[in-house]
Amino acid sequence: MSGVIVEFDPYAKTGNRLFQFAFGKILSQQKQVPFRSNPIPGFSSTYNHDISIPISNNPIKTTSYGAQHIDYNALLTTKETIIVNSYLQKYSYYIEHLDYLRQLFKVEGYESLEVDKNELVIHIRGTDYLDGNVHINDEIFLDLLDKISPSKASLVTDDINTRIVEELVKKGVSVVTKNYLTNRCNGLNEYEMFDFVYMLKANNLLISQSTFSWWPAFLGLQENIYIPYIQTK
C-alpha cells in the first residue's frame, strides 16, 4: 500500500509547513492511504502523525513537478509512495477543503482573545525577507493605511526593529506583538501564535507577502482583506 509522507524543508517557516501538511493530509484522505508528518507547533491536530510508512521502490517527490505545480490525477492514481517536499502554494488546491482545514488548523487556548471589529490589523514581515532583499516596498503599507483610514490600527510582526514599524507607529498604529525581540527561528513560539490568532480573529486584515499572514486570511472570517500589490509589466 502506498502512503503520503511530508518532508519539511528545515529552513521553512510555519506558513510553508502549513501548505505542505494541508496538501499531504488532503491527498492521503482522498487516496485512503497512511499519512506521515512531523507536527507543526501550535496546531494540536498536526500531532501524532509520525508513523512508520514503508517507502516504495520509486517514490514520487512533488519537487519533481516543480515548486508549486503537480499532476494531481497522477498522484491520486499512483501506487507509489508520495513525498511532499515542495511548498505547493496554490489556492486552487485548498479552497474546496476550507471547512476541513479550519478544523485541522484550529488553534486552542485563545478563546477569550477579542479583536475590535473596526480595527485594522497589519502584518509586517522582516527578518529573512530583509536579509534576502524580498521585502515589499514600505511605502505600499503607508499608502494603504492612508487610503483605508481606519479608526483604529494595530500591527503584528516578527521584526520590531524595522523602518516600516517605526513609520507605522508614528502614524498611530499600535504594536500588539507580545515580544519585542526579532525572531529568526523556524518554529512557532508563544508570541508568534498570538500574532497568528490575532490576525485570524481580525475583521479587517492587511497582510504582507508572507504565507504566515496568508493562512489567517484564508482560514478566518474577515470582512475586509487588503493585499499589498505592485503592478509590473
Side-chain angles (χ1 to χ4, degrees):
M1 178 184 292
S2 63
V4 177
I5 299 173
V6 172
E7 287 188 355
F8 292 133
D9 182 332
Y11 296 101
K13 292 194 173 184
T14 300
N16 287 330
R17 295 186 180 213
L18 288 171
F19 274 111
Q20 289 182 264
F21 193 99
F23 185 90
K25 186 67 172 173
I26 291 168
L27 180 61
S28 69
Q29 288 192 335
Q30 291 183 331
K31 290 173 66 69
Q32 297 183 325
V33 297
F35 171 75
R36 188 178 85 195
S37 175
N38 288 330
I40 304 174
F43 300 89
S44 59
S45 294
T46 67
Y47 284 77
N48 302 317
H49 293 288
D50 189 16
I51 63 174
S52 177
I53 296 179
I55 299 178
S56 60
N57 292 331
N58 299 293
I60 299 175
K61 295 185 177 182
T62 57
T63 49
S64 65
Y65 293 100
Q68 309 295 347
H69 303 277
I70 42 82
D71 184 338
Y72 202 80
N73 288 331
L75 296 184
L76 280 175
T77 56
T78 184
K79 295 182 183 292
E80 300 291 347
T81 306
I82 299 169
I83 299 176
V84 180
N85 62 342
S86 55
Y87 292 149
L88 300 166
Q89 300 168 352
K90 288 193 68 176
Y91 175 82
S92 58
Y93 297 151
Y94 309 102
I95 184 56
E96 293 182 3
H97 310 280
L98 178 55
D99 289 339
Y100 169 71
L101 292 173
R102 281 174 170 158
Q103 290 301 313
L104 181 65
F105 296 142
K106 184 178 180 179
V107 179
E108 300 175 344
Y110 293 86
E111 290 77 14
S112 62
L113 177 62
E114 296 183 357
V115 180
D116 189 326
K117 68 177 183 178
N118 296 315
E119 180 178 347
L120 174 68
V121 178
I122 305 169
H123 179 247
I124 299 297
R125 175 76 172 263
T127 58
D128 55 332
Y129 276 34
L130 292 174
D131 296 341
N133 197 29
V134 294
H135 180 69
I136 200 165
N137 191 315
D138 290 347
E139 301 306 319
I140 292 180
F141 290 96
L142 299 173
D143 290 344
L144 281 172
L145 179 63
D146 289 340
K147 290 177 181 178
I148 300 167
S149 189
S151 59
K152 181 179 181 181
S154 62
L155 69 84
V156 294
T157 182
D158 65 341
D159 194 345
I160 201 71
N161 300 305
T162 58
R163 172 188 172 272
I164 183 57
V165 170
E166 180 180 352
E167 293 299 321
L168 288 170
V169 169
K170 288 179 181 178
K171 284 181 168 287
V173 177
S174 60
V175 178
V176 296
T177 292
K178 292 297 186 182
N179 194 315
Y180 275 53
L181 297 176
T182 296
N183 176 51
R184 296 179 182 274
C185 65
N186 294 329
L188 275 179
N189 57 35
E190 184 177 351
Y191 89 86
E192 288 177 291
M193 199 73 253
F194 175 89
D195 289 355
F196 188 94
V197 177
Y198 205 85
M199 289 188 284
L200 188 67
K201 292 194 173 189
N203 191 49
N204 308 284
L205 178 61
L206 169 52
I207 69 173
S208 67
Q209 78 280 31
S210 166
T211 57
F212 185 71
S213 58
W214 185 92
W215 274 104
F218 181 66
L219 298 173
L221 298 172
Q222 295 86 357
E223 183 176 347
N224 299 297
I225 298 173
Y226 303 95
I227 303 171
Y229 175 75
I230 300 176
Q231 185 171 1
T232 58
K233 295 182 179 180

